[in-house]
Amino acid sequence: MSNKKYYDYTQIHGFCETLASRLKNGNYDSVVGVSRGGLIPATIIAECMNVRELRTMGVRSYQLNGIGKRKDSVLYQSCSPYLVGNVLLIDDISDTGETFKFLIDHIGRNKNVTSLTTCSLFVRRSSNYIPDYYHTDIVGNDWIVFPWEPAHPPSN
């Protein structure tokens, strides 16, 4: 069994602020959060960078109960037709990298997108996609538990 590593909202907010300061020179027209895990980081980073255009995309790479990989990723929500210019795509973690690769291909079909930058809070070293920006490397099989997940212990 892998170790669980718990992060609280204060830590996550700090990670997002650090990433936003590194991303500020990107002049992004819109920020896209990958639902569900990337929504909170995308909101915080967009707010820190004063990017008003915040959108979401939904991809399901895991089974509905969160256990086990699907054979293929499934896009269930897309804002791609509405994207223009420089886009920042944010997820909570690049675990296998499949979600990022899937969305890069999907967004890449939109000829109105000038550039696409990827960002995640965490990246697993074994991931087959490393985002352009990330905060923390995960070595081994540690399971990251975010404060918005039901399995997270309550704060004191």
Side-chain angles (χ1 to χ4, degrees):
M1 168 133 187
S2 59
N3 293 323
K4 289 184 178 181
K5 294 197 69 139
Y6 295 89
Y7 290 88
D8 63 31
Y9 275 102
T10 302
Q11 291 169 302
I12 296 297
H13 206 286
F15 295 168
C16 291
E17 288 174 343
T18 299
L19 285 166
S21 69
R22 291 174 50 206
L23 289 158
K24 279 209 184 227
N25 293 332
N27 296 319
Y28 300 102
D29 298 296
S30 56
V31 171
V32 176
V34 179
S35 66
R36 293 178 314 187
L39 297 180
I40 293 171
T43 301
I44 295 168
I45 291 171
E47 190 67 31
C48 289
M49 294 180 6
N50 199 30
V51 177
R52 303 307 303 162
E53 188 70 26
L54 177 62
R55 299 198 177 257
T56 65
M57 292 185 109
V59 175
R60 190 166 288 128
S61 298
Y62 290 91
Q63 300 294 345
L64 286 178
N65 62 4
I67 300 171
K69 290 286 292 167
R70 297 175 61 91
K71 183 177 178 189
D72 296 308
S73 295
V74 175
L75 181 71
Y76 64 88
Q77 176 192 4
S78 177
C79 64
S80 184
Y82 309 106
L83 296 174
V84 296
N86 300 324
V87 175
L88 175 60
L89 178 65
I90 300 175
D91 205 355
D92 55 352
I93 184 169
S94 182
D95 191 20
T96 64
E98 293 304 314
T99 298
F100 273 115
K101 289 171 73 174
F102 182 84
L103 288 176
I104 289 166
D105 178 62
H106 178 72
I107 294 169
R109 295 178 197 160
N110 178 340
K111 302 303 180 203
N112 294 317
V113 173
T114 308
S115 70
L116 178 62
T117 302
T118 56
C119 176
S120 68
L121 298 179
F122 298 91
V123 64
R124 193 171 299 284
R125 284 228 180 129
S126 59
S127 178
N128 62 24
Y129 181 79
I130 305 301
D132 300 310
Y133 294 87
Y134 63 92
H135 188 275
T136 303
D137 253 341
I138 304 168
V139 180
N141 293 321
D142 285 349
W143 186 261
I144 304 301
V145 183
F146 293 95
W148 50 84
E149 295 182 56
H152 202 279
S155 300
N156 291 333

